Amino acid sequence: MLNFRHVKYFVATANLGQVSRAARELSISQSAITSAIKELEAEIGGRLFVRTAQGMELTDTGRRFLAASHRIMASVEEALHPADTAEEVAGSLTIGASYTVLGYFLPQHLERLERRYPNLRIHIHELTREMIEDNLITGRLDMAVVLTSNISNPELTTETLIGSQRRLWVPAGHRLLDLDSVGLQDVAEHPYIMLTVDEAAHWTTRYWSASPFRPNVRLRTSSIEAVRSTVANGQGVTILSDMVYRPWSLEGRRIETIIMRERVPAMDVGLAWRQGVELTPAMRLFRTHFSDVYQTPQSRMPR
């Protein structure tokens, strides 16, 4: 029977990408996690992960179940903290967020926080990474929800919540779907759609530069929906994260994903605040909400 332990172990493995890392984070054996995942797959009737050289990759079923699991974790967290206690929390928070985070990660959390803590006022500002860093350091922002993989300022502390795997996006019926294994060499033979928002182009160039191949860039755009539609209509392919993936374009055309043969770095999402600052009760609450939902925060000071 499905229980909370199954969900907790699955979320940790999905967020960290490796059974060994999840076991260390939860202070349990790897075999306990492996058994729980097998039991969960048997209950669901489908595979949740594919083992690769890089670790555990979510299947389409796994991605859908991960979204549901985060809702389960949030509901459990709410149940463990009575409403009368929540109503005592008051104050205000000024939060910065980048375009991608604000569009594809933060809204569901803001809704839960607003419902649970009606006396907590959260002010959100969409800013670039550079502006977020500057506003955190100068105290104009209390905290930020950011792509932590983009943060390198030594004056900030970051806490990564999830690593969103990057995969190849192709239109339905694309010939790359017929290959047993797809690498950057194969992708280089097709027109490439380059996303530029939130330094996506920088990260794309970075992992391509580690190979002898280069993308055949057909279009550069800051619009995720433009990328989605262009790929779905057969005008090119791209490599983007699961967080922004949707299986259908606005025109109702299907987009498929492929796990890359090479290691493509995940897009890390998490929190940031000024190093050494004393967290207010509202800031601690905000941080605790996310750590309870995602279970495996990883704090670090950027180098």
Side-chain angles (χ1 to χ4, degrees), residues 12-297:
T13 304
N15 287 346
L16 294 170
Q18 294 180 341
V19 170
S20 59
R21 291 182 63 191
R24 287 196 301 272
E25 190 72 31
L26 298 173
S27 299
I28 58 174
S29 67
Q30 293 187 41
S31 61
I33 292 183
T34 300
S35 297
I37 290 173
K38 287 181 178 179
E39 292 167 5
L40 191 54
E41 289 177 329
E43 185 75 18
I44 292 174
R47 296 184 68 185
L48 297 172
F49 293 102
V50 174
R51 284 188 177 274
T52 71
Q54 289 76 44
M56 302 288 279
E57 303 281 0
L58 286 167
T59 63
D60 286 342
T61 300
R63 282 187 288 189
R64 289 192 295 270
F65 190 73
L66 181 61
S69 296
H70 286 152
R71 292 193 293 271
I72 292 171
M73 301 291 284
S75 297
V76 170
E77 190 268 336
E78 289 182 19
L80 293 175
H81 295 82
D84 55 351
T85 302
E87 291 173 0
E88 296 174 2
V89 178
S92 64
L93 273 176
T94 303
I95 302 295
S98 60
Y99 169 86
T100 304
V101 168
L102 190 56
Y104 295 90
F105 178 79
L106 198 51
Q108 60 178 323
H109 296 287
L110 293 176
E111 184 273 331
R112 285 184 177 275
L113 285 163
E114 182 177 329
R115 187 176 69 248
R116 289 203 61 215
Y117 307 106
N119 296 322
L120 177 65
R121 298 184 303 278
I122 301 178
H123 307 282
I124 303 293
H125 299 273
E126 181 185 328
L127 301 167
T128 64
R129 190 261 306 166
E130 293 89 348
M131 293 178 68
I132 287 173
E133 291 184 0
D134 180 66
N135 280 265
L136 285 172
I137 292 169
T138 57
R140 290 191 292 270
L141 291 175
D142 296 312
M143 303 183 81
V145 187
V146 294
L147 303 182
T148 52
S149 44
N150 290 356
I151 301 293
S152 59
N153 194 310
E155 297 184 61
L156 301 178
T157 296
T158 63
E159 189 164 85
T160 296
L161 300 165
I162 61 169
S164 182
Q165 182 62 46
R166 288 182 170 99
R167 305 174 195 245
L168 177 66
W169 294 14
V170 299
H174 197 278
R175 65 184 182 88
L176 288 178
L177 292 165
D178 296 328
L179 301 182
D180 293 331
S181 175
V182 175
L184 292 176
Q185 181 177 7
D186 305 300
V187 177
E189 298 175 359
H190 300 269
Y192 193 89
I193 311 304
M194 179 81 77
L195 183 67
T196 60
V197 73
D198 276 346
E199 301 173 274
H202 165 75
W203 280 98
T204 299
T205 302
R206 190 168 176 175
Y207 60 75
W208 276 92
S209 296
S211 79
F213 313 107
R214 296 294 178 267
N216 176 21
V217 179
R218 180 173 191 171
L219 170 67
R220 296 175 185 269
T221 176
S222 62
S223 168
I224 294 176
E225 291 307 321
V227 173
R228 199 186 321 278
S229 292
T230 305
V231 171
N233 282 285
Q235 301 304 301
V237 301
T238 195
I239 298 174
L240 288 177
S241 80
D242 285 348
M243 192 175 80
V244 300
Y245 171 74
R246 302 293 183 271
W248 302 97
S249 71
L250 294 176
E251 299 82 11
R253 297 194 174 186
R254 178 80 181 181
I255 299 170
E256 305 287 352
T257 62
I258 299 172
I259 298 171
M260 294 295 296
R261 181 167 61 243
E262 293 93 346
R263 181 184 180 279
V264 177
M267 185 179 74
D268 294 337
V269 182
L271 308 179
W273 60 90
R274 182 164 56 89
Q275 183 183 339
V277 71
E278 183 178 352
L279 300 187
T280 66
M283 292 168 70
R284 289 198 299 270
L285 181 148
F286 192 77
R287 180 188 181 194
T288 299
H289 164 79
F290 287 99
S291 63
D292 285 345
V293 172
Y294 293 100
Q295 290 294 301
T296 52

